[in-house]
């Protein structure tokens, strides 16, 4: 689970998990428009509102009043400002590498340069697409179709670490240790095949979804027309109908989060009987998984449904579907008309973003997805000094200590459960800044005049790297986020955390800044990630990363009761007059916010040696709320409320109302809007 809300990007053939694409793919703005307000971190910003009525505005009022969302964005936040700054630095590094880079640095510069060569891409037109589309057109029967569907699979989802469930390919593949087999890698198969974010977009009966469906079908037709297909409207109608049928078999968003429902181990030979309609042997062969004996079928109903549709629907419909998604996933390397069309639907219509981000930012996002660690290595070498790493490692150690102490103080937890919780903390791997070993890209062929081919080969390269893990020993210290990403993650099966270098900057962390603000901002993020090891999902994995129930019934009951109170607290918030937050969907993240904030405050207090004061606590809480400042467009906020496991930033900051110290620091009184009587404050850890 990552710390930051994932901006809902449309599914695409990314070569990395969603978290990367989310934070970087949308990473673009005009510096002037989104110019950060000069804010003294840890100082109050609005005198017009009482902290007890609206702590978010109290802490961020000045920033909110002065900040406009850049035209090419669906939202703007402290994190996104950091993303922009990081991107500026990376482009400078690429510029240097284009002149004197060697090896992967040269490869990085060439990849980026090919995407920036707009004239070359225009001149080649649809020619780079032709060989791929010709292959699809040459499919004659279900055997050929099966081969093409299998060959199109990529390692493009990550349900646990990145909550990335979406792929436009028929299925998503994730290579990770088995749910109950921490020593061996297993391929996970996830539902896929949709061009809109979730089944709800196809099936929900309301005005907005209905309008989006019409727009999406028009988008399919427009893409096919641009690529030179005859009868694009008729083809689009058939593609849409196929996706609607796929969507009917898809699991609900909430079900995707339930790992117990996902732990379905199927032997390779069982697929034919369990999911008839697809020649699975041939399919897996084409996907490079022919020798694999065991799979985890994450979404069994969707896999069964899709296999049946391969048998049921005509080959021609599937060919059109394959052609459309091939084009749709590669527009970044195609002429402007394709880019504009894609933006018109996914940017403007689906997310409410008025303006396409500039070419360099889109190219950089694609580069970051294609060669994440090559770029990350360049970034870290220049921008992440050892002293910053050491300071964060010390904070991490202090916060881990705070968790140990909190666990000891829990009177409701059974001794055996408590013992395993300590064991989990003891073996927790906390990665700070960058991975222990770097992925290198020596086998990836990158050409200056072949942006499309580069993207195609990079996705294949990544898929092969992932497949190569099958049969190897599990590496619990493997990173799932690149260093240049502004985010953080808890990987429950690995029992590991990553804090990439790029998030370890102000306003989250300033090696020369105040401890109060550092603990409130990055400290609460660190605590958030640690606490995921013990939340409703983390509690399902033991210290070895095995899916195992290590809680007693009474522990669970207590936890569930406290969690229900938090569900109710969040479900009562209105994002809009007609739209409440979903406390159940956001429960794990809200629990992590609560536990993380409390542990960070403990660790901060311990670091002061007991010399706490309301003044320094005020700075701590303001540092926390200011790190979450964010503005989002209405369409984007509505998407987030519907599909994101993170509550929008404003409501995340209201976590403070569950901590007694916040009431003392700001003299919050009964009658104020955020006031909760002591017995109504949620205390889980
Ligand atoms: Zn989280």
């Amino acid at each position: 689970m990552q710390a930051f809300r994932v901006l809902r990007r449309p599914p695409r053939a990314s070569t990395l998990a969603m978290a990367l694409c989310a934070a970087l793919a949308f990473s673009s703005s005009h510096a002037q428009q989104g110019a950060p307000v000069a804010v003294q971190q840890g100082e109050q910003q609005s005198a017009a509102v009482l902290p007890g009525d609206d702590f978010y505005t109290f802490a961020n009022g000045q920033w909110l009043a002065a900040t406009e969302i850049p035209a090419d964005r669906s939202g703007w936040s402290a994190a996104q400002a950091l993303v922009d700054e990081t991107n500026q630095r990376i482009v400078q590094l690429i510029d240097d590498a284009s002149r004197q880079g060697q090896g992967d640095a040269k490869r990085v510069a060439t990849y980026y340069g090919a995407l920036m060569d707009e004239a070359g891409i225009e001149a080649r037109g649809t020619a780079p697409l032709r060989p791929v589309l010709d292959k699809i057109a040459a499919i004659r029967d279900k055997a050929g179709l099966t081969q093409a569907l299998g060959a199109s699979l990529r390692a493009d989802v990550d349900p646990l670490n990145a909550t990335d469930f979406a792929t436009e390919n028929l299925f998503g593949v994730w290579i990770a240790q088995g749910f109950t087999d921490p020593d061996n890698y297993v391929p996970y198969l996830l539902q896929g095949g949709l061009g809109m974010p979730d089944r709800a977009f196809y099936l929900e009966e309301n005005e907005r979804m209905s309008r989006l469906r019409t727009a999406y079908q028009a988008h399919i037709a427009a893409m096919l027309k641009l690529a030179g297909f005859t009868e694009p409207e008729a083809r689009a109608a058939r593609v849409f109908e196929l996706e609607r049928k796929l969507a009917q078999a898809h699991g609900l968003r909430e079900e995707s989060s339930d790992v117990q429902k996902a732990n379905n181990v199927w032997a390779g030979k069982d697929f034919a009987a369990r999911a008839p309609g697809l020649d699975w042997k041939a399919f897996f062969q084409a996907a490079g998984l022919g020798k694999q004996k065991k799979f985890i079928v994450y979404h069994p109903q969707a896999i069964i449904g899709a296999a049946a549709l391969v048998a049921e629907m005509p080959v021609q419909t599937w060919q059109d579907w394959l052609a459309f998604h091939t084009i749709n996933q590669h527009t970044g390397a195609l002429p402007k008309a394709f880019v504009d069309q894609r933006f018109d639907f996914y940017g403007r219509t689906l997310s409410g973003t008025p303006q396409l981000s500039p070419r360099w930012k889109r190219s950089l996002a694609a580069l970051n997805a294609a060669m994440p660690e090559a770029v990350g290595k360049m970034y870290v070498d220049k921008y992440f000094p050892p002293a910053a790493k050491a300071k964060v490692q010390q904070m991490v150690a202090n916060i881990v200590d705070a968790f140990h102490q909190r666990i000891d103080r829990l009177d409701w937890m059974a001794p055996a459960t408590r013992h395993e919780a300590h064991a989990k903390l003891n073996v927790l791997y906390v990665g700070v800044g960058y991975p222990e070993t770097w992925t290198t890209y020596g086998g990836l062929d990158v050409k200056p005049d072949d942006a499309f081919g580069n993207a195609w080969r990079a996705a294949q390269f990544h898929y092969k790297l992932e497949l190569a893990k099958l049969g190897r020993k599990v590496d619990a210290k493997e990173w799932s986020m690149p260093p240049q990403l502004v985010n953080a993650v808890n990987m429950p099966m690995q029992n590991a955390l990553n804090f990439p270098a790029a998030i370890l900057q102000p306003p989250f962390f300033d090696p020369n800044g105040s401890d109060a603000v550092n603990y409130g901002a990055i400290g609460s993020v660190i605590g958030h990630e640690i606490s995921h090891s013990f939340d409703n999902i983390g509690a399902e994995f033991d210290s070895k990363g095995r899916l195992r129930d290590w809680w007693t019934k009474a522990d669970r009951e207590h936890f569930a009761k406290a969690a229900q109170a938090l569900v109710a607290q969040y479900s009562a918030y209105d994002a809009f007059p007609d739209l409440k937050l979903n406390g159940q969907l956001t429960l794990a993240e809200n629990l992590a916010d609560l536990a993380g904030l409390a542990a960070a405050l403990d660790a901060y207090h311990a670091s002061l040696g007991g010399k706490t004061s309301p003044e320094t606590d005020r700075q701590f809480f303001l540092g926390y709320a200011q790190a979450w400042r964010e503005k989002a467009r209405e369409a984007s906020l509505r998407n987030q409320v519907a599909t994101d496991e993170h509550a929008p930033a404003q409501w995340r900051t209201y976590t403070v109302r569950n901590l007694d110290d916040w009431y003392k620091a700001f003299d919050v009184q009964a009658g104020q809007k955020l006031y909760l009587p002591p017995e109504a404050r949620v205390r889980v850890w």
Side-chain angles (χ1 to χ4, degrees):
M1 296 275 171
Q2 69 278 25
F4 285 98
R5 92 185 180 88
V6 165
L7 291 166
R8 285 292 141 186
R9 65 163 170 82
R12 49 174 281 241
S14 64
T15 52
L16 250 201
M18 177 136 182
L20 171 67
C21 306
L24 294 178
F26 287 78
S27 60
S28 49
S29 91
H30 305 290
Q32 305 83 340
Q33 283 175 292
V37 180
V39 168
Q40 191 60 40
Q41 289 298 126
E43 299 288 335
Q44 158 201 342
Q45 282 193 32
S46 174
V49 30
L50 288 172
D53 279 332
D54 180 356
F55 189 60
Y56 180 72
T57 305
F58 175 79
N60 293 309
Q62 190 189 333
W63 184 88
L64 289 166
T67 301
E68 267 186 56
I69 300 172
D72 61 346
R73 297 301 189 90
S74 60
W76 188 248
S77 64
Q80 284 176 307
L82 255 192
V83 169
D84 257 28
E85 197 182 313
T86 305
N87 285 348
Q88 303 275 2
R89 289 169 163 184
I90 294 172
V91 164
Q92 187 58 50
L93 292 170
I94 294 172
D95 192 39
D96 297 345
S98 69
R99 277 177 275 109
Q100 55 212 14
Q102 300 288 328
D104 276 353
K106 181 83 191 164
R107 216 167 263 118
V108 161
T110 306
Y111 195 101
Y112 180 76
L115 283 166
M116 290 302 289
D117 176 17
E118 192 170 2
I121 287 174
E122 290 299 324
R124 285 186 287 278
T126 58
L129 262 178
R130 286 269 63 96
V132 188
L133 294 182
D134 287 349
K135 247 183 157 170
I136 295 170
I139 295 172
R140 287 288 163 265
D141 50 23
K142 290 282 161 81
L145 173 65
T146 301
Q147 158 73 31
L149 289 172
S152 69
L153 293 199
R154 296 290 180 268
D156 54 1
V157 290
D158 177 345
L160 239 66
N161 304 327
T163 53
D164 181 2
F165 301 101
T167 173
E168 286 183 70
N169 297 329
L170 188 59
F171 307 127
V173 176
W174 185 50
I175 310 293
Q177 67 194 68
F179 273 134
T180 52
D181 182 6
D183 298 322
N184 294 297
Y185 287 109
V186 188
Y188 289 67
L189 283 186
L190 275 74
Q191 64 192 14
L194 308 183
M196 289 199 284
D198 182 79
R199 79 193 291 280
F201 288 75
Y202 293 82
L203 304 173
E204 253 178 32
E205 289 301 338
N206 60 52
E207 190 275 331
R208 174 165 186 257
M209 291 306 189
S210 161
R211 186 170 52 78
L212 286 175
R213 283 192 280 271
T214 306
Y216 177 55
Q217 193 169 319
H219 167 68
I220 301 171
M223 280 296 200
L224 291 172
K225 191 167 179 212
L226 283 172
F229 282 83
T230 58
E231 301 176 342
E233 282 82 12
R235 289 177 200 264
R238 293 194 293 263
V239 169
F240 182 84
E241 182 56 15
L242 171 55
E243 289 190 25
R244 202 182 59 79
K245 286 174 185 260
L246 286 167
Q248 281 174 330
H250 270 217
L252 300 175
R253 184 65 187 75
E254 288 93 326
E255 287 168 348
S256 289
S257 304
D258 186 343
V259 288
Q260 300 292 350
K261 287 190 177 139
N263 187 22
N264 311 293
V265 180
W266 290 17
K269 60 180 167 49
D270 293 348
F271 279 75
R274 293 183 120 167
L278 182 60
D279 177 353
W280 286 97
K281 198 158 179 265
F283 177 81
F284 283 137
Q285 193 68 39
L289 289 162
K291 294 203 179 76
Q292 185 62 30
K293 295 215 166 19
K294 201 171 79 175
F295 295 81
I296 291 181
V297 179
Y298 200 97
H299 294 113
Q301 287 315 314
I303 304 292
I304 292 166
L309 285 168
V310 172
E312 178 191 326
M313 302 296 278
V315 170
Q316 180 61 56
T317 301
W318 280 107
Q319 283 173 294
D320 290 336
W321 176 88
L322 270 170
F324 163 67
H325 285 292
T326 300
I327 304 162
N328 202 40
Q329 296 186 79
H330 290 90
T331 50
L334 291 171
K336 184 172 183 300
F338 289 88
V339 176
D340 288 346
Q341 174 55 42
R342 184 181 168 98
F343 176 74
D344 189 58
F345 177 68
Y346 289 106
R348 205 169 279 129
T349 306
L350 198 60
S351 309
T353 311
Q355 191 181 307
L356 178 66
S357 64
R359 184 170 200 95
W360 74 268
K361 289 177 178 169
R362 287 178 278 128
S363 302
L364 186 57
L367 167 68
N368 271 314
M371 279 187 277
E373 291 195 9
V375 180
K377 176 103 177 43
M378 291 160 68
Y379 177 81
V380 162
D381 285 349
K382 174 124 188 195
Y383 291 109
F384 191 60
K389 178 163 174 152
K391 183 149 189 185
V392 176
Q393 284 176 317
Q394 186 57 55
M395 287 179 73
V396 169
N398 293 348
I399 296 165
V400 168
D401 275 351
F403 267 100
H404 275 301
Q405 287 171 28
R406 284 197 161 250
I407 290 165
D408 277 335
R409 285 202 300 269
L410 294 176
D411 49 8
W412 52 269
M413 194 178 248
T417 315
R418 207 180 294 200
H419 182 264
E420 184 68 19
H422 283 303
K424 254 194 116 160
L425 274 180
N426 287 336
V427 295
L428 182 73
Y429 164 71
V430 182
V432 173
Y434 47 88
E436 309 294 323
T437 54
W438 295 98
T439 300
T440 53
Y441 299 83
L444 177 60
D445 190 13
V446 180
K447 299 177 185 169
D449 58 353
D450 190 13
F452 181 88
N454 292 342
W456 190 268
R457 286 186 293 273
Q460 276 183 324
F461 181 85
H462 175 69
Y463 186 47
K464 281 191 185 131
L465 273 187
E466 291 296 305
L467 290 187
K469 290 184 346 199
L470 295 168
R472 264 193 226 151
K473 195 174 173 302
V474 168
D475 174 10
K477 292 185 176 178
E478 186 186 353
W479 277 51
S480 74
M481 279 184 173
Q484 69 276 30
L485 184 70
V486 179
N487 212 328
V489 67
N490 179 312
M491 298 178 279
M493 280 201 293
Q494 287 174 230
N495 195 20
L497 312 181
N498 295 163
F499 294 100
I503 198 181
L504 302 173
Q505 303 182 68
F508 294 96
F509 172 69
D510 181 352
N512 307 310
S514 123
D515 281 354
V517 174
N518 279 342
Y519 273 97
I522 195 70
S524 66
V525 174
I526 293 168
H528 172 113
E529 295 306 336
I530 293 174
S531 84
H532 273 315
S533 299
F534 307 102
D535 67 8
N536 52 338
I537 290 173
E540 302 190 72
F541 294 91
D542 67 13
S543 60
K544 300 236 163 38
R546 249 188 314 247
L547 185 61
R548 175 171 79 86
D549 194 354
W550 50 278
W551 290 41
T552 66
K553 195 160 168 277
D555 292 335
R556 278 208 178 275
E557 277 166 8
H558 178 96
F559 188 79
K561 207 173 139 208
Q564 273 318 306
L566 203 59
V567 169
Q569 193 177 102
Y570 274 80
S571 292
Y573 291 131
D574 295 306
F576 296 97
D578 64 335
L579 184 64
K580 285 199 182 311
L581 301 194
N582 182 342
Q584 191 62 48
L585 176 66
T586 56
L587 174 60
E589 295 304 328
N590 297 332
L591 280 167
D593 281 347
L594 176 55
L597 186 66
L601 184 60
D602 283 358
Y604 172 56
H605 284 166
S607 78
L608 293 173
K611 294 193 201 73
T612 60
S613 74
E615 171 50 32
T616 50
D617 277 4
R618 276 198 290 278
Q619 277 187 32
F620 170 91
F621 286 113
L622 286 166
Y624 171 70
Q626 287 168 359
W628 286 118
R629 63 199 178 206
E630 176 177 44
K631 282 189 140 179
R633 296 189 193 280
E634 179 171 339
S636 166
L637 198 56
R638 284 182 182 273
N639 283 351
Q640 188 188 354
V641 171
T643 61
D644 201 308
E645 300 191 340
H646 303 83
Q650 177 179 350
W651 291 277
R652 293 184 78 166
T653 65
Y654 297 156
T655 303
V656 295
R657 64 198 294 220
N658 296 298
L659 270 68
D660 297 340
D661 288 310
W662 176 72
Y663 289 80
K664 283 183 224 145
F666 293 97
D667 191 28
V668 176
Q669 299 296 333
Q672 297 176 349
K673 287 194 190 106
L674 292 174
Y675 178 85
L676 289 171
E679 67 278 8
R681 296 170 199 166
V682 180
R683 301 163 211 272
V684 181
W685 289 105

